[in-house]
Amino acid sequence: MVPAEAEAEILAELRRLRARVPQLTGALAASADGLVLARDTAATEAEAVAALTAAALGVAQRLADTTGQGGFRELLVRGENGYVATYAAGEAAVLTLMAEPRANVGRLHLEARRSSLHIAEVIDDTLGRRGPGGRP
């Protein structure tokens, strides 16, 4: 979906994010329909995680809309062994992170929101999308 240069920039952002939040055990960027764009994770099931993220995204979008909360921004799942968090990265992509149970969720949100904005800009630039005032 994205050219090699954009994939490299997204991967670099995932690595910077993992450096800022050491409790992350994995990070991936995927298209909204579940295709892996870039990943920084030892998990071999990145494609499955991306597909499941797309399914969860559909449910989260519908839940937010049905309850009047507006467009999807983020989803946090807490399991016995840690967290899975998904953040909107523009209209076309999402950022999904896996974190240890001891992760500081506030810090996770802060850093992930910054990274998701950067990933959205990379993808929008790649797709030639611009928002109001020429901004992506």
Side-chain angles (χ1 to χ4, degrees):
M1 178 179 171
V2 296
E5 307 85 43
E7 181 180 351
E9 178 57 32
I10 294 168
L11 180 57
E13 181 60 31
L14 295 179
R15 289 180 175 152
R16 288 189 296 268
L17 175 59
R18 288 194 67 186
R20 292 190 311 266
V21 184
Q23 296 79 26
L24 288 180
T25 58
L28 69 87
S31 65
D33 57 356
L35 300 174
V36 175
L37 302 175
R39 66 178 170 195
D40 183 20
T41 178
T44 56
E45 65 276 347
E47 288 79 14
V49 171
L52 287 168
T53 296
L57 177 62
V59 172
Q61 286 172 328
R62 187 159 179 185
L63 181 61
D65 185 51
T66 300
T67 58
Q69 303 306 311
F72 171 79
R73 293 289 178 254
E74 55 198 47
L75 172 68
L76 179 68
V77 176
R78 180 178 174 217
E80 292 176 354
N81 298 319
Y83 296 93
V84 178
T86 298
Y87 301 85
E91 297 292 320
V94 292
L95 169 64
T96 296
L97 307 173
M98 288 70 67
E100 297 172 357
R102 64 186 180 92
N104 178 322
V105 176
R107 177 73 185 263
L108 176 71
H109 285 323
L110 176 71
E111 298 295 347
R113 289 169 184 156
R114 290 176 180 165
S115 289
S116 66
L117 287 173
H118 182 73
I119 291 168
E121 288 174 358
V122 171
I123 291 170
D124 286 348
D125 286 348
T126 299
L127 299 176
R129 294 181 181 165
R130 295 284 175 188
R135 300 277 310 154

